[in-house]
Amino acid sequence: MNKYTGIDIFSGAGGLSLGAEMAGIKVLCAIEINSNAAASFKRNHPKAKVLNQDIQNISIKDLGVDTKDVFIIMGGPPCQGFSMSNTRTRTMDNPNNLLFREFVRLVNEVQPKWFLFENVWGITNINKGEVMRQIQDCFEQIGYKIVPQVLIASDYGVPQNRQRFFMVGNRLGIDFEFPKPLPNQKVTVWDAISDLPALDNGQMLFAEEYRVPIEEASKYQQLMRAHSDKAYQNYVSKNNDLVIERYSHIPPGGNWRDIPEYLMVNYKDKFRCHSGIYRRLRFDQPSVVISNYRKSMLIHPEQNRGLSVREAARIQSFPDDFIFEGSLSHIQQQIGNAVPPLLAKAVISQILLYTKQYEQR
């Protein structure tokens, strides 16, 4: 049995677990309250036990694992309360922010050697850093040595400028340092998705041929295609004609400001629009953040349509054989909420490196 085992809580579809498995962790169990995300996790991690339940109702007996075998507990509690876009209730009074205490509870009960806590980067700014310090204190009080840091996904081979907060802790007394950014490794949107099929607005193709043979694909595309012979889940939301006409006026890197005034008359105050609304991606750069990419109307770099499921999954670094369950809107939300697997792999590989060095002393 792999001695490096893990439990993923608030697991979502399983991006964090996928990265952990890439690094060498055997994921034993996942906890996820959303039934569609739990179904995606189960489909792609068939050997793991998946508890589709509220974590507040779960005891360590429910995990079905020998707790002494658990090397790491990882996860990211729901981040709506911490998000920088949530200006009204971004406080500790938001009930969503209290779910991290369930994370602390399970870490305390299971006592893994390591934990990895992941969340939105905005958590570092709440109450001038007081929330982050409170979370850190909770883990230190149960015996863990803590290191927090904000990482940028594009520094670790992910084709996306996504910032995420990580807090890593261990009870071995190890002075952990996060991995350094990869040198000259920025992956662009072109590197990520240019081999995927051309699609129309609203098109729904489950399996489609790639545009280029694998030997002509970029290194990133080859990595994503390693276990897949076709591009799967080429699903595009259907936008109305007005939205498509708006898209036609936006150049690569542009946003809603490039849309003519007469096409925006239904906005009461368009100057209150977020800069990420109606953003067309650029092929020559990493993507902007893939969060709720349908709601934000993120646009393909060349085609006048939204991103497909597979394109968004690629930009998040999910390989092409990873299949999502649920309706289109549920799938889009799962992708937007996920931890990029390659970013997770980088952090957990570093945890394993420090552990092996510790074991060799």
Side-chain angles (χ1 to χ4, degrees), residues 226-238:
H227 303 290
S228 184
D229 59 348
K230 285 185 171 62
Y232 292 102
Q233 295 191 297
N234 307 284
Y235 304 154
V236 182
S237 289
K238 177 73 171 177

Side-chain angles (χ1 to χ4, degrees), residues 94-352:
N94 188 318
N96 284 324
N97 291 346
L98 300 181
L99 285 174
F100 84 88
R101 297 189 186 278
E102 294 297 320
F103 191 118
V104 176
R105 174 179 69 85
L106 281 184
V107 170
N108 190 35
E109 293 177 358
V110 175
Q111 289 286 298
K113 292 181 175 66
W114 293 83
F115 76 82
L116 187 158
F117 176 93
E118 180 272 343
N119 221 284
V120 293
W121 71 269
I123 194 173
T124 62
N125 293 332
I126 304 174
N127 296 338
K128 299 181 179 179
E130 183 58 31
V131 167
M132 187 180 71
R133 287 188 288 272
Q134 287 181 29
I135 293 174
Q136 184 166 330
D137 286 345
C138 287
F139 289 117
E140 289 176 341
Q141 288 170 15
I142 61 174
Y144 285 83
K145 193 165 189 175
I146 309 301
V147 182
Q149 191 164 321
V150 173
L151 302 180
I152 303 173
S154 59
D155 286 338
Y156 301 94
V158 179
Q160 179 185 179
N161 290 322
R162 187 186 189 97
Q163 296 186 73
R164 298 300 289 185
F165 170 79
F166 289 88
M167 182 178 286
V168 168
N170 72 89
R171 59 183 180 86
L172 305 176
I174 295 173
D175 292 318
F176 177 77
E177 292 185 6
F178 282 90
K180 298 290 191 295
L182 299 174
N184 304 314
Q185 290 291 317
K186 296 288 186 181
V187 180
T188 66
V189 173
W190 175 268
D191 297 328
I193 69 170
S194 61
D195 66 324
L196 292 176
L199 300 168
D200 295 325
N201 175 43
Q203 198 158 10
M204 302 282 286
L205 300 175
F206 178 71
E208 191 71 3
E209 298 292 336
Y210 294 108
R211 298 174 77 172
V212 299
I214 194 164
E215 59 269 16
E216 296 178 15
S218 71
K219 289 182 179 179
Y220 183 84
Q221 291 164 5
Q222 290 176 7
L223 177 64
M224 295 295 103
R225 291 166 58 169
H227 303 290
S228 184
D229 59 348
K230 285 185 171 62
Y232 292 102
Q233 295 191 297
N234 307 284
Y235 304 154
V236 182
S237 289
K238 177 73 171 177
N239 294 125
N240 64 39
D241 292 343
L242 174 59
V243 169
I244 298 302
E245 188 174 359
R246 287 171 178 163
Y247 286 174
S248 70
H249 292 276
I250 301 172
N255 63 11
W256 63 268
R257 293 184 178 89
D258 297 294
I259 301 171
E261 187 76 31
Y262 73 91
L263 293 177
M264 296 289 283
V265 293
N266 60 326
Y267 280 79
K268 291 183 179 179
D269 182 2
K270 76 173 189 177
F271 292 100
R272 296 181 65 183
C273 291
H274 189 277
S275 62
I277 300 296
Y278 287 100
R279 174 66 65 99
R280 187 185 290 276
L281 302 187
R282 291 179 54 155
F283 264 141
D284 61 345
Q285 296 178 356
S287 173
V288 297
V289 174
I290 300 292
S291 52
N292 193 332
Y293 64 95
R294 179 189 60 83
K295 184 177 179 180
S296 296
M297 303 290 193
L298 289 186
I299 313 169
H300 186 277
E302 290 182 343
Q303 301 163 38
N304 289 327
R305 60 169 176 83
L307 297 178
S308 73
V309 163
R310 185 49 50 195
E311 288 162 349
R314 279 273 190 96
I315 290 170
Q316 280 279 58
S317 74
F318 280 97
D320 291 2
D321 62 333
F322 196 103
I323 304 299
F324 298 89
E325 297 283 357
S327 67
L328 177 55
S329 62
H330 284 125
I331 289 172
Q332 291 167 330
Q333 194 64 57
Q334 289 173 48
I335 294 172
N337 289 345
V339 180
L342 288 184
L343 178 57
K345 178 189 176 185
V347 176
I348 295 175
S349 294
Q350 188 83 339
I351 288 172
L352 287 171

